Structure formats: C-alpha cells, structure tokens
Amino acid sequence: MKIKQWTALLLVLMLMLPLVGSAEQLVFEKGKAPEFAEGTPTLDIHVVPMIGGDCLILRCDGQVMLVDMGKENEYENIRSEFERLGIEKIDIAFNSHPHDDHLGSMMHIAEDYPVGLFLTAFDEDYDDGFCCQTETIAYLKEKNVPIRRVGDMDTFEFASCHCTVYQIPDFPDCNYMSALLLIEYGERRVLMTGDFIDGMQRLMAQSGRDIKAEIVKHPHHGLKPMYHDFIRAIEPQYAIITHNYSCSAEARERLNDYRIRYGIAAWGPLHLATNGEYWLVDQLRD
C-alpha cells in the first residue's frame, strides 16, 4: 500500500475513535487532588440516592437550590438528606419537566420547608397524563411560594452561580421538552439534563448553544445512552447516573467508550464540589 493510502487510512481510523474532553483533568476523586482549604467558597452538589428519580441539592454561599424533586414515595430519602446536610430552607426549586419522578415530592417539601422561588419551564396548566404540575402549582400558590416561568436562553443567578436554561419547546412529548440547566461557578460548569432524550440531543448539539461542562447529569436516569453528537458538544469528564447499575448498562458502555467516569446515585449519597477551578467527587456507599 502506498504511503498516501496508509496516511488516508490512518486519518479515517483517528476520526472514528471517540474523542472528548479537555486534555487537562478537572474532575478528581476525593483523595486524588488537594482538598480545598478550610473556608474556601465552593459550589456543592449532593445527589439524593434513589432509583429512577432525580433530586439534586446545590449549596453555595449559604443558599440552597433543588434541581428536580424526585418521586412522591421517595420523599423520606430527600428529607433524610436535608437533615444530614442541615438544610432548613430552599431558596430556589428548579423543575426540568413536570413528570412525577422529577416533581412528585415538591408538595411535601413545601409543606415542611420554606421555599423562596419555584421555577418551571412549562405552562402552569401543562399536562400529558403523567404530570403532577397542576396540583403542585396550586398547592405552592396556597403556600404563597413565588412561581416563575422560564424558557430557552433565560438566565438567573443562584448565589455566586450563573444559570442558563436551554430548551427546545413545542414538541408533543414532555421528556423531549425537558429544560437543560447549565450552572457556572468560577471556571467550572455542570449541565443538568432532566429526561432530554433521543433526537432532541442531536438538535441541541447542532443548535450552536454552548453546553460544554465538566459534569453532566445523565439524561433520563441513564436508561438510554447519550447521542455521540451530544457527548461531543458537552465534553464531560464525569456523569451522574440517577438509576441503578443494571438499568444503565448501555449508557455506561457509551461513557466507557469515551473514557468518561460516572457515579451511580443508587449506591449512596454522591457529593461533588468545586472551588471554581477543579472538582472533587466523593460518595458515601450504602
């Protein structure tokens, strides 16, 4: 085979290899990078252990934000995490989409804890037959919780974090319309994805939106692998899977192909923290 043919074949093979992420490692398991000095301001993410539901607790500058609120029958797990972390109030509750495995515990939370603001990316009367938003919002109004509708490219501040909402609306499927939430703290980023699935991931990757992040909450609990285009657009170094090990087999295989590490929330409380320069990841294994 001629040299030019060998060169062309080599280039094709290189293009076929999964390639993602910065050459600089920015996510470390606890103990494999320096601990943050005492008193260092951080963004902390605590993933509530549950199977097939999302509830992530973010803490920064003394404030608390929830990204999704899990299933109604998992509320005791959520409250146990609040108690373990010493949480007494919720400043912001952000809901990616109103299915009951992402919003089911919101009324229980509002009954037991003050809530400063509820953010939804859906119309208040949206219902696809599997939603619990109508009754949840009615209850929040009874509790005098402010409610704000957000949509694609909207931004808001959470403590020292800058948050951007991304969404592809007007599709006849609630999961397809899940709102993505990009959270920036210093130089570091985390992308929350709700149940953003199927070809919508390709549309988002091709949309030109800047969704790069070192940490990604795996879409739809890891029940399906992420599209290649979506992974390349994010360039994550670590993924959070909010399901168990067996149900996420294909998703984990795709992550392994790209050499992306991951944590399984069902194994026990997962904690990620950043000082704005790098991430430390730790897990209390049950």
Side-chain angles (χ1 to χ4, degrees):
M1 185 177 292
K2 296 179 180 179
I3 293 177
K4 288 185 178 179
Q5 291 175 311
W6 275 111
T7 303
L9 179 59
L10 180 61
L11 286 172
V12 170
L13 291 173
M14 290 176 65
L15 289 172
M16 291 174 64
L17 289 173
L19 180 62
V20 66
S22 166
E24 180 184 7
Q25 185 177 351
L26 297 168
V27 182
F28 301 89
E29 293 180 13
K30 188 174 181 181
K32 296 186 177 180
E35 294 284 341
F36 306 133
E38 186 175 353
T40 299
T42 57
L43 165 64
D44 293 82
I45 301 172
H46 301 270
V47 187
V48 179
M50 61 178 68
I51 297 175
D54 278 15
C55 183
L56 297 97
I57 304 166
L58 282 67
R59 298 198 297 177
C60 185
D61 301 339
Q63 296 187 33
V64 175
M65 177 166 72
L66 299 183
V67 177
D68 289 337
M69 302 89 205
K71 304 175 183 178
E72 182 178 13
N73 63 5
E74 298 263 24
Y75 176 58
E76 289 305 316
N77 286 350
I78 296 171
R79 187 168 65 177
S80 293
E81 278 299 283
F82 286 173
E83 292 174 353
R84 185 178 72 85
L85 298 171
I87 290 173
E88 298 179 348
K89 65 178 177 62
I90 309 300
D91 296 283
I92 299 174
F94 176 89
N95 180 231
S96 65
H97 66 295
H99 279 167
D100 57 4
D101 56 338
H102 292 255
L103 186 59
S105 284
M106 187 65 235
M107 287 191 285
H108 294 299
I109 292 169
E111 182 178 3
D112 292 344
Y113 299 88
V115 178
L117 177 65
F118 179 77
L119 298 178
T120 176
F122 287 73
D123 292 335
E124 291 188 11
D125 61 353
Y126 180 88
D127 188 357
D128 69 348
F130 300 95
C131 294
C132 57
Q133 176 163 271
T134 303
E135 57 267 40
T136 298
I137 285 182
Y139 183 77
L140 294 177
K141 287 181 177 179
E142 289 180 10
K143 301 289 287 186
N144 296 315
V145 175
I147 297 164
R148 185 193 304 172
R149 173 75 153 80
V150 293
D152 186 43
M153 303 297 289
D154 284 343
T155 63
F156 63 93
E157 306 302 312
F158 161 62
S160 299
C161 301
H162 181 69
C163 304
T164 305
V165 179
Y166 294 118
Q167 188 181 31
I168 300 180
D170 303 324
F171 275 81
D173 186 285
C174 187
N175 285 343
Y176 285 8
M177 292 191 293
S178 286
L180 279 61
L181 185 64
L182 180 70
I183 302 162
E184 302 175 74
Y185 182 78
E187 299 298 316
R188 302 283 64 85
R189 291 171 151 208
V190 54
L191 182 68
M192 306 295 185
T193 61
D195 282 355
F196 194 68
I197 56 172
D198 296 337
M200 307 307 292
Q201 295 179 4
R202 180 172 290 124
L203 288 177
M204 182 63 70
Q206 296 172 350
S207 70
R209 293 168 175 83
D210 180 8
I211 57 173
K212 287 188 182 348
E214 303 85 38
I215 308 290
V216 61
K217 200 290 298 183
H218 201 293
H220 206 202
H221 320 288
L223 292 173
K224 292 183 176 182
M226 284 188 281
Y227 274 40
H228 296 283
D229 293 354
F230 197 54
I231 293 175
R232 292 190 182 104
I234 303 169
E235 296 187 350
Q237 296 187 8
Y238 190 90
I240 299 165
I241 297 176
T242 55
H243 215 296
N244 59 25
Y245 191 79
S246 60
C247 290
S248 59
E250 288 186 72
R252 290 185 289 101
E253 183 177 352
R254 179 67 50 82
L255 294 173
N256 289 334
D257 287 343
Y258 283 89
R259 298 181 291 279
I260 298 167
R261 289 166 294 148
Y262 54 83
I264 308 288
W267 289 346
L270 185 61
H271 176 212
L272 305 93
T274 180
N275 61 352
E277 297 178 8
Y278 61 93
W279 292 90
L280 292 177
V281 179
D282 188 27
Q283 188 163 34
L284 299 175
R285 295 291 288 268
D286 289 343

